[in-house]
Amino acid sequence: GGVVTKREITEVEAFNRAIKFSEKYVQRGPYEFFPEPEVVTEVQKGLGENERLYGYRYCPWMPLSGDPVEDRKKICPCDRHHEDIQRDGFCIWMFFVSEEFLRKYQAGEEFTQTIDEAVAPGQELFDEYESKADFKAKQQVKSNNKANKGKAE
């Protein structure tokens, strides 16, 4: 007989499911969303994409090993998010944060992104991987360059 495969879910469906799942998690659990909506949306897209490709909402930040037992720990909310949030105030992908982190963030306190330490050395997640800090620094340089363009070389 034919193999029964699950109906492919569309990107939009997967994205909406990721939104629903994470909103429910935030409603019921002790954590809040990271206070920048575009960051949250990126993660939700990544989670949806992983569900579409692999059947599970794996954390977009965790390289999959192909071993289902190992990889099960990477399904959002992942095994390590409690300890990450306890230590840093946010999970590896800056998706879920503690209420205390939210208060500090709203008070304008600086925080350090620890995703870099979370990845074992030499085990880059993606070739083009850059931390959000690097990305922000680049944006900064871009806008400074623009500002300096007008001045004499």
Short mmCIF file of all heavy atoms in Angstrom, two decimals, residues 52-95:
data_model
loop_
_atom_site.label_atom_id
_atom_site.label_comp_id
_atom_site.label_asym_id
_atom_site.label_seq_id
_atom_site.Cartn_x
_atom_site.Cartn_y
_atom_site.Cartn_z
N ARG A 52 8.31 22.65 9.36
CA ARG A 52 7.96 22.30 7.98
C ARG A 52 8.97 21.30 7.40
O ARG A 52 8.60 20.34 6.73
CB ARG A 52 7.96 23.58 7.14
CG ARG A 52 6.98 23.60 6.01
CD ARG A 52 6.80 25.02 5.50
NE ARG A 52 8.06 25.56 4.99
CZ ARG A 52 8.53 25.32 3.77
NH1 ARG A 52 7.86 24.57 2.93
NH2 ARG A 52 9.67 25.86 3.39
N LEU A 53 10.26 21.54 7.68
CA LEU A 53 11.31 20.71 7.09
C LEU A 53 11.51 19.39 7.83
O LEU A 53 11.78 18.37 7.21
CB LEU A 53 12.63 21.48 7.06
CG LEU A 53 12.64 22.75 6.21
CD1 LEU A 53 13.97 23.48 6.38
CD2 LEU A 53 12.41 22.44 4.74
N TYR A 54 11.44 19.45 9.17
CA TYR A 54 11.82 18.27 9.96
C TYR A 54 10.68 17.68 10.79
O TYR A 54 10.87 16.68 11.44
CB TYR A 54 12.97 18.64 10.92
CG TYR A 54 14.13 19.31 10.24
CD1 TYR A 54 14.42 20.65 10.49
CD2 TYR A 54 14.94 18.60 9.35
CE1 TYR A 54 15.50 21.27 9.85
CE2 TYR A 54 16.01 19.22 8.72
CZ TYR A 54 16.28 20.55 8.97
OH TYR A 54 17.34 21.16 8.35
N GLY A 55 9.54 18.36 10.79
CA GLY A 55 8.42 17.84 11.56
C GLY A 55 8.41 18.26 13.02
O GLY A 55 7.49 17.94 13.75
N TYR A 56 9.46 18.97 13.46
CA TYR A 56 9.51 19.45 14.84
C TYR A 56 9.96 20.89 14.87
O TYR A 56 10.72 21.31 14.00
CB TYR A 56 10.51 18.62 15.67
CG TYR A 56 10.08 17.19 15.86
CD1 TYR A 56 10.66 16.18 15.10
CD2 TYR A 56 9.09 16.86 16.78
CE1 TYR A 56 10.27 14.86 15.24
CE2 TYR A 56 8.69 15.54 16.94
CZ TYR A 56 9.27 14.55 16.17
OH TYR A 56 8.87 13.26 16.33
N ARG A 57 9.54 21.61 15.92
CA ARG A 57 9.98 23.00 16.06
C ARG A 57 11.33 23.03 16.77
O ARG A 57 11.41 23.34 17.95
CB ARG A 57 8.94 23.80 16.86
CG ARG A 57 7.77 24.29 16.03
CD ARG A 57 6.86 25.20 16.82
NE ARG A 57 6.20 24.48 17.88
CZ ARG A 57 4.97 23.98 17.78
NH1 ARG A 57 4.27 24.14 16.69
NH2 ARG A 57 4.46 23.34 18.78
N TYR A 58 12.36 22.68 16.04
CA TYR A 58 13.70 22.75 16.62
C TYR A 58 14.11 24.21 16.74
O TYR A 58 13.77 25.02 15.90
CB TYR A 58 14.72 22.04 15.72
CG TYR A 58 14.55 20.54 15.65
CD1 TYR A 58 14.21 19.92 14.46
CD2 TYR A 58 14.73 19.76 16.79
CE1 TYR A 58 14.06 18.54 14.39
CE2 TYR A 58 14.58 18.38 16.72
CZ TYR A 58 14.24 17.77 15.53
OH TYR A 58 14.09 16.42 15.48
N CYS A 59 14.88 24.50 17.79
CA CYS A 59 15.42 25.84 17.95
C CYS A 59 16.24 26.19 16.71
O CYS A 59 17.12 25.42 16.32
CB CYS A 59 16.33 25.90 19.17
SG CYS A 59 17.17 27.47 19.32
N PRO A 60 15.97 27.34 16.10
CA PRO A 60 16.71 27.68 14.87
C PRO A 60 18.21 27.87 15.14
O PRO A 60 19.00 27.88 14.20
CB PRO A 60 16.08 29.00 14.42
CG PRO A 60 14.89 29.24 15.27
CD PRO A 60 14.97 28.33 16.46
N TRP A 61 18.60 28.04 16.42
CA TRP A 61 20.00 28.30 16.73
C TRP A 61 20.81 27.05 17.00
O TRP A 61 21.98 27.16 17.28
CB TRP A 61 20.11 29.19 17.97
CG TRP A 61 20.29 30.62 17.62
CD1 TRP A 61 19.62 31.65 18.16
CD2 TRP A 61 21.18 31.18 16.68
NE1 TRP A 61 20.03 32.82 17.59
CE2 TRP A 61 20.99 32.56 16.68
CE3 TRP A 61 22.13 30.65 15.80
CZ2 TRP A 61 21.70 33.43 15.86
CZ3 TRP A 61 22.83 31.52 14.98
CH2 TRP A 61 22.61 32.88 15.02
N MET A 62 20.15 25.88 17.00
CA MET A 62 20.91 24.70 17.42
C MET A 62 21.13 23.78 16.25
O MET A 62 20.18 23.32 15.64
CB MET A 62 20.16 23.98 18.54
CG MET A 62 19.98 24.86 19.74
SD MET A 62 19.51 23.89 21.18
CE MET A 62 19.20 25.21 22.34
N PRO A 63 22.41 23.52 15.93
CA PRO A 63 22.68 22.63 14.80
C PRO A 63 22.14 21.24 15.11
O PRO A 63 22.32 20.75 16.23
CB PRO A 63 24.21 22.62 14.70
CG PRO A 63 24.72 23.37 15.87
CD PRO A 63 23.60 23.97 16.63
N LEU A 64 21.48 20.62 14.16
CA LEU A 64 20.90 19.30 14.39
C LEU A 64 21.97 18.24 14.11
O LEU A 64 22.75 18.36 13.18
CB LEU A 64 19.69 19.08 13.48
CG LEU A 64 18.54 20.06 13.74
CD1 LEU A 64 17.42 19.84 12.75
CD2 LEU A 64 18.03 19.93 15.17
N SER A 65 21.96 17.20 14.96
CA SER A 65 22.99 16.17 14.83
C SER A 65 22.51 15.03 13.94
O SER A 65 23.29 14.22 13.47
CB SER A 65 23.32 15.61 16.20
OG SER A 65 22.20 14.88 16.69
N GLY A 66 21.18 14.94 13.74
CA GLY A 66 20.64 13.81 12.99
C GLY A 66 20.28 12.65 13.91
O GLY A 66 19.62 11.70 13.49
N ASP A 67 20.70 12.72 15.16
CA ASP A 67 20.33 11.69 16.14
C ASP A 67 19.06 12.17 16.84
O ASP A 67 19.08 13.16 17.56
CB ASP A 67 21.47 11.52 17.15
CG ASP A 67 21.06 10.67 18.36
OD1 ASP A 67 19.90 10.20 18.40
OD2 ASP A 67 21.90 10.49 19.25
N PRO A 68 17.94 11.46 16.61
CA PRO A 68 16.64 11.95 17.12
C PRO A 68 16.61 12.16 18.64
O PRO A 68 15.96 13.08 19.13
CB PRO A 68 15.63 10.88 16.71
CG PRO A 68 16.39 9.83 15.98
CD PRO A 68 17.83 10.21 15.87
N VAL A 69 17.34 11.32 19.37
CA VAL A 69 17.35 11.45 20.83
C VAL A 69 18.06 12.74 21.24
O VAL A 69 17.58 13.51 22.07
CB VAL A 69 18.01 10.22 21.51
CG1 VAL A 69 18.05 10.40 23.01
CG2 VAL A 69 17.24 8.96 21.14
N GLU A 70 19.23 12.96 20.62
CA GLU A 70 20.00 14.18 20.87
C GLU A 70 19.18 15.40 20.46
O GLU A 70 19.09 16.39 21.18
CB GLU A 70 21.27 14.12 20.00
CG GLU A 70 22.61 14.40 20.64
CD GLU A 70 22.62 14.78 22.10
OE1 GLU A 70 22.53 13.89 22.97
OE2 GLU A 70 22.71 15.98 22.38
N ASP A 71 18.62 15.31 19.26
CA ASP A 71 17.95 16.48 18.69
C ASP A 71 16.64 16.81 19.39
O ASP A 71 16.18 17.93 19.33
CB ASP A 71 17.73 16.28 17.18
CG ASP A 71 19.05 16.37 16.42
OD1 ASP A 71 20.02 16.93 16.98
OD2 ASP A 71 19.11 15.90 15.27
N ARG A 72 16.08 15.81 20.07
CA ARG A 72 14.82 16.06 20.77
C ARG A 72 14.99 17.17 21.81
O ARG A 72 14.08 17.93 22.08
CB ARG A 72 14.30 14.78 21.41
CG ARG A 72 12.82 14.89 21.73
CD ARG A 72 12.15 13.57 21.95
NE ARG A 72 12.84 12.78 22.96
CZ ARG A 72 12.99 11.47 22.86
NH1 ARG A 72 12.59 10.81 21.80
NH2 ARG A 72 13.61 10.81 23.83
N LYS A 73 16.20 17.27 22.37
CA LYS A 73 16.48 18.29 23.39
C LYS A 73 16.44 19.70 22.79
O LYS A 73 16.46 20.69 23.52
CB LYS A 73 17.87 18.08 23.98
CG LYS A 73 18.05 16.74 24.66
CD LYS A 73 19.51 16.57 25.06
CE LYS A 73 19.78 15.20 25.66
NZ LYS A 73 21.23 14.93 25.71
N LYS A 74 16.46 19.79 21.46
CA LYS A 74 16.53 21.09 20.79
C LYS A 74 15.17 21.58 20.34
O LYS A 74 15.05 22.60 19.68
CB LYS A 74 17.49 20.99 19.61
CG LYS A 74 18.88 20.56 20.04
CD LYS A 74 19.75 20.15 18.87
CE LYS A 74 21.09 19.63 19.40
NZ LYS A 74 21.91 19.06 18.32
N ILE A 75 14.12 20.80 20.65
CA ILE A 75 12.78 21.24 20.29
C ILE A 75 12.37 22.35 21.25
O ILE A 75 12.53 22.22 22.46
CB ILE A 75 11.79 20.06 20.34
CG1 ILE A 75 12.19 19.00 19.31
CG2 ILE A 75 10.36 20.55 20.10
CD1 ILE A 75 11.42 17.69 19.43
N CYS A 76 11.86 23.42 20.70
CA CYS A 76 11.48 24.59 21.51
C CYS A 76 10.21 24.28 22.31
O CYS A 76 9.28 23.71 21.75
CB CYS A 76 11.23 25.77 20.57
SG CYS A 76 10.90 27.31 21.45
N PRO A 77 10.16 24.61 23.58
CA PRO A 77 11.20 25.17 24.44
C PRO A 77 12.23 24.10 24.78
O PRO A 77 11.87 23.05 25.28
CB PRO A 77 10.43 25.62 25.69
CG PRO A 77 9.16 24.81 25.70
CD PRO A 77 8.88 24.44 24.28
N CYS A 78 13.50 24.39 24.50
CA CYS A 78 14.56 23.38 24.57
C CYS A 78 14.92 23.03 26.01
O CYS A 78 14.53 23.72 26.95
CB CYS A 78 15.80 23.89 23.84
SG CYS A 78 16.58 25.25 24.72
N ASP A 79 15.69 21.96 26.13
CA ASP A 79 16.10 21.46 27.45
C ASP A 79 16.83 22.49 28.29
O ASP A 79 16.75 22.48 29.49
CB ASP A 79 17.06 20.28 27.25
CG ASP A 79 16.31 18.96 27.26
OD1 ASP A 79 15.08 19.00 27.10
OD2 ASP A 79 16.95 17.91 27.42
N ARG A 80 17.59 23.35 27.62
CA ARG A 80 18.49 24.23 28.38
C ARG A 80 17.93 25.61 28.62
O ARG A 80 18.59 26.43 29.23
CB ARG A 80 19.81 24.32 27.65
CG ARG A 80 19.62 24.62 26.15
CD ARG A 80 20.91 24.82 25.45
NE ARG A 80 21.48 26.09 25.87
CZ ARG A 80 22.67 26.51 25.49
NH1 ARG A 80 23.38 25.76 24.68
NH2 ARG A 80 23.13 27.66 25.90
N HIS A 81 16.72 25.89 28.13
CA HIS A 81 16.27 27.29 28.20
C HIS A 81 16.09 27.77 29.63
O HIS A 81 16.33 28.93 29.92
CB HIS A 81 15.04 27.54 27.33
CG HIS A 81 13.73 27.10 27.92
ND1 HIS A 81 13.43 25.77 28.14
CD2 HIS A 81 12.66 27.80 28.33
CE1 HIS A 81 12.20 25.70 28.66
NE2 HIS A 81 11.72 26.91 28.79
N HIS A 82 15.69 26.86 30.55
CA HIS A 82 15.51 27.31 31.94
C HIS A 82 16.83 27.80 32.53
O HIS A 82 16.89 28.86 33.13
CB HIS A 82 14.94 26.19 32.81
CG HIS A 82 13.53 25.81 32.46
ND1 HIS A 82 12.48 26.69 32.54
CD2 HIS A 82 13.01 24.64 31.99
CE1 HIS A 82 11.36 26.07 32.15
NE2 HIS A 82 11.67 24.84 31.82
N GLU A 83 17.89 27.00 32.33
CA GLU A 83 19.15 27.41 32.94
C GLU A 83 19.74 28.63 32.23
O GLU A 83 20.32 29.50 32.87
CB GLU A 83 20.15 26.24 33.01
CG GLU A 83 20.83 25.87 31.73
CD GLU A 83 21.72 24.65 31.90
OE1 GLU A 83 21.19 23.52 31.94
OE2 GLU A 83 22.95 24.82 31.98
N ASP A 84 19.54 28.72 30.92
CA ASP A 84 20.01 29.92 30.19
C ASP A 84 19.31 31.18 30.71
O ASP A 84 19.93 32.20 30.94
CB ASP A 84 19.73 29.79 28.68
CG ASP A 84 20.70 28.82 28.00
OD1 ASP A 84 21.76 28.54 28.59
OD2 ASP A 84 20.39 28.35 26.89
N ILE A 85 18.00 31.06 30.89
CA ILE A 85 17.22 32.23 31.32
C ILE A 85 17.58 32.59 32.76
O ILE A 85 17.68 33.77 33.11
CB ILE A 85 15.70 31.99 31.14
CG1 ILE A 85 15.39 31.91 29.64
CG2 ILE A 85 14.89 33.09 31.81
CD1 ILE A 85 13.97 31.49 29.31
N GLN A 86 17.82 31.56 33.57
CA GLN A 86 18.22 31.83 34.95
C GLN A 86 19.55 32.58 34.99
O GLN A 86 19.73 33.50 35.77
CB GLN A 86 18.36 30.51 35.71
CG GLN A 86 17.46 30.45 36.90
CD GLN A 86 17.37 29.03 37.45
OE1 GLN A 86 18.02 28.11 36.98
NE2 GLN A 86 16.54 28.88 38.45
N ARG A 87 20.47 32.16 34.12
CA ARG A 87 21.80 32.74 34.12
C ARG A 87 21.83 34.12 33.44
O ARG A 87 22.40 35.07 33.94
CB ARG A 87 22.77 31.79 33.43
CG ARG A 87 24.24 32.21 33.52
CD ARG A 87 25.13 31.33 32.65
NE ARG A 87 24.70 31.39 31.25
CZ ARG A 87 24.33 30.33 30.52
NH1 ARG A 87 24.34 29.12 31.03
NH2 ARG A 87 23.96 30.48 29.26
N ASP A 88 21.24 34.20 32.24
CA ASP A 88 21.39 35.39 31.41
C ASP A 88 20.16 36.28 31.37
O ASP A 88 20.23 37.43 30.95
CB ASP A 88 21.68 34.98 29.95
CG ASP A 88 22.94 34.15 29.84
OD1 ASP A 88 23.89 34.45 30.57
OD2 ASP A 88 22.96 33.22 29.02
N GLY A 89 19.01 35.71 31.75
CA GLY A 89 17.77 36.47 31.62
C GLY A 89 17.07 36.20 30.30
O GLY A 89 15.93 36.61 30.10
N PHE A 90 17.74 35.48 29.38
CA PHE A 90 17.10 35.15 28.11
C PHE A 90 17.64 33.82 27.60
O PHE A 90 18.72 33.40 27.99
CB PHE A 90 17.33 36.24 27.06
CG PHE A 90 18.77 36.70 26.98
CD1 PHE A 90 19.68 36.04 26.16
CD2 PHE A 90 19.20 37.79 27.71
CE1 PHE A 90 20.99 36.46 26.07
CE2 PHE A 90 20.53 38.22 27.64
CZ PHE A 90 21.43 37.55 26.82
N CYS A 91 16.87 33.18 26.73
CA CYS A 91 17.33 31.90 26.19
C CYS A 91 18.29 32.15 25.04
O CYS A 91 18.46 33.28 24.59
CB CYS A 91 16.15 31.03 25.77
SG CYS A 91 15.24 31.63 24.33
N ILE A 92 18.90 31.11 24.55
CA ILE A 92 19.99 31.22 23.58
C ILE A 92 19.61 32.09 22.38
O ILE A 92 20.41 32.83 21.85
CB ILE A 92 20.47 29.82 23.15
CG1 ILE A 92 21.64 29.90 22.15
CG2 ILE A 92 19.33 29.01 22.55
CD1 ILE A 92 22.29 28.54 21.89
N TRP A 93 18.37 32.01 21.97
CA TRP A 93 17.96 32.75 20.77
C TRP A 93 17.27 34.06 21.11
O TRP A 93 16.65 34.68 20.28
CB TRP A 93 17.04 31.86 19.96
CG TRP A 93 16.98 31.98 18.48
CD1 TRP A 93 16.34 31.08 17.69
CD2 TRP A 93 17.49 32.97 17.59
NE1 TRP A 93 16.44 31.47 16.37
CE2 TRP A 93 17.14 32.62 16.29
CE3 TRP A 93 18.23 34.14 17.77
CZ2 TRP A 93 17.48 33.39 15.17
CZ3 TRP A 93 18.56 34.90 16.64
CH2 TRP A 93 18.20 34.53 15.38
N MET A 94 17.35 34.46 22.39
CA MET A 94 16.72 35.71 22.82
C MET A 94 15.25 35.72 22.42
O MET A 94 14.76 36.67 21.81
CB MET A 94 17.44 36.92 22.22
CG MET A 94 18.90 36.92 22.59
SD MET A 94 19.77 38.39 22.07
CE MET A 94 19.65 39.36 23.54
N PHE A 95 14.58 34.62 22.72
CA PHE A 95 13.18 34.46 22.37
C PHE A 95 12.35 34.65 23.64
O PHE A 95 11.53 35.53 23.73
CB PHE A 95 13.00 33.05 21.79
CG PHE A 95 11.66 32.79 21.17
CD1 PHE A 95 10.99 33.78 20.47
CD2 PHE A 95 11.08 31.52 21.26
CE1 PHE A 95 9.76 33.52 19.88
CE2 PHE A 95 9.85 31.25 20.67
CZ PHE A 95 9.18 32.25 19.98
#
